[in-house]
Amino acid sequence: MTERTPIIAGNWKMHHDHYTAIQVIQKLSYQLDKTDYERVEVVVCPPFTDLRSLQTVLEADRIPIRLGAQNCHFEEQGAFTGEVSATMLAKLSVAYVIVGHSERRELFGETDEDVNRKVRAVVKHGMTPILCCGETLDEREAGTAEAKVRGQVEAGIAGLSKAQVGAAVIAYEPIWAIGTGRTAGSEDAQAMCAVIREQVAAVAGPDAAGAVRIQYGGSVKPGNIAELMACPDVDGALVGGASLDPDDFARIVRF
Ligand code: 13P
C-alpha cells in the first residue's frame, strides 16, 4: 500500500481579515513543532485578501504551513469582474486550491463542468486541487449519495493524467455535516472515502487511487479527529469552524 502523508487543511471561509489572519497563523505556529510538520501536512486556506500577508509571514518566519486558496477562476485573465485566476494564486506561493466546495456549488451555482475547468487550471499552474464532493441529507436518505459522489469525482478529475490524479486531494464533505455539529460517523466517512478511491481507480487506475489523498470534512473537531484519521481511506481533514481557532486547529493537527 502507498504511504500517504496525512493532510489537515483549515478552510477559513469568509472569516478573519488580514490583521487577524496574521495573529492566528502566529499563534498556530507557536503550538506546532518540527515533529508535527513531519507527520502531517498543514494547510491554511484564508480569504483571498489575507494571502499576501500570510505568504510574507510564513516565508519570513520559515513556518512550514502551506497556503491554500478557497476558489479560483479557470481563465488566466480577462474581463471577469471580481474573479481571481489560478495564475495569480500561484504567484503568491499558494500550494492548494479548494475547488467545488458545496457552498460554491449551492450558493454560487458552480457546475461539475466549472469545477473540472478550475481543477485543470489549478494543476496547470503547478498547484494541487482539493476537489470537494458530497451529498445532501435528502440524497443520502434517497439512497443516491454514492452515485452523486462518484459522478462529482469522475467529472472533477476528467482530463487529468493518471499522475495528476494521484497527486490531487479529494475532500468528501457530506453537506448535512457541514457547520451542523453533526459528523458522519467514522464508518460512514470510511465507506464513502473507500467509494471515492474505488471511483478514482476505475477512472485513473490503481496507482492513482493508491496515491490520491482523501480528506473528510464536516464538523471535524479536536474530539473526533482521531477516530476519523484511524479510517484506512481517510488521509486527512478539511476543517471549517474549528480551524478558525489556533488552539483547536493545533489540537486537530496533533490528533
Ligand atoms: P465545518 O468544519 O465548520 O463543519 O465546515 C466544514 C467545511 O465545509 C470545510 O470545508
Side-chain angles (χ1 to χ4, degrees):
M1 206 181 98
T2 323
E3 245 338 282
R4 296 183 296 266
T5 307
I7 175 166
I8 308 262
N11 174 10
W12 288 0
K13 308 192 179 182
M14 199 169 72
H15 296 282
H16 292 332
D17 61 38
H18 73 287
Y19 293 113
T20 322
I22 292 170
Q23 292 170 352
V24 168
I25 214 81
Q26 283 173 333
K27 282 189 187 154
L28 180 61
S29 73
Y30 298 150
Q31 307 221 26
L32 298 177
D33 57 34
K34 200 162 160 274
T35 49
D36 297 312
Y37 298 120
E38 280 167 3
R39 210 171 126 253
V40 176
E41 199 173 343
V42 184
V43 184
V44 165
C45 307
F48 288 135
T49 52
D50 302 357
L51 286 171
R52 177 67 181 142
S53 310
L54 292 188
Q55 178 200 20
T56 309
V57 172
L58 294 175
E59 282 179 8
D61 296 349
R62 295 173 197 265
I63 302 169
I65 296 172
R66 317 291 302 277
L67 263 188
Q70 299 174 16
N71 181 31
C72 69
H73 195 272
F74 43 76
E75 295 290 352
E76 310 251 326
Q77 57 180 35
F80 302 103
T81 301
E83 292 295 316
V84 172
S85 70
T87 335
M88 294 166 179
L89 296 174
K91 290 249 163 67
L92 288 168
S93 316
V94 166
Y96 290 92
V97 184
I98 298 173
V99 181
H101 191 279
S102 60
E103 286 150 18
R104 299 239 31 109
R105 294 178 189 260
E106 297 212 316
L107 305 174
F108 301 96
E110 280 186 19
T111 64
D112 276 339
E113 195 196 340
D114 297 328
V115 171
N116 177 246
R117 292 176 81 177
K118 292 180 183 203
V119 164
R120 285 185 287 140
V122 168
V123 169
K124 181 176 172 196
H125 292 286
M127 300 177 292
T128 302
I130 299 179
L131 166 65
C132 299
C133 57
E135 80 285 357
T136 63
L137 192 54
D138 283 353
E139 288 161 341
R140 174 156 284 256
E141 284 170 355
T144 57
E146 193 179 309
K148 177 174 188 200
V149 168
R150 282 184 189 272
Q152 286 179 323
V153 169
E154 181 160 3
I157 61 177
L160 298 192
S161 70
K162 290 179 179 180
Q164 287 167 338
V165 173
V169 176
I170 298 176
Y172 168 56
E173 300 204 306
I175 296 168
W176 46 271
I178 295 178
T180 57
R182 185 177 163 189
T183 21
S186 54
E187 270 177 37
D188 284 345
Q190 163 56 27
M192 193 64 92
C193 290
V195 163
I196 291 170
R197 204 175 297 285
E198 198 182 282
Q199 188 63 25
V200 170
V203 176
D207 290 350
V212 71
R213 290 183 293 173
I214 304 176
Q215 296 176 313
Y216 167 79
S219 299
V220 174
K221 308 282 175 216
N224 60 22
I225 182 71
E227 195 192 333
L228 289 160
M229 292 302 291
C231 300
D233 285 296
V234 175
D235 306 310
L238 186 55
V239 186
S243 73
L244 297 175
D245 178 79
D247 298 329
D248 281 349
F249 192 55
R251 286 166 65 205
I252 290 173
V253 167
R254 306 187 112 161
F255 66 90

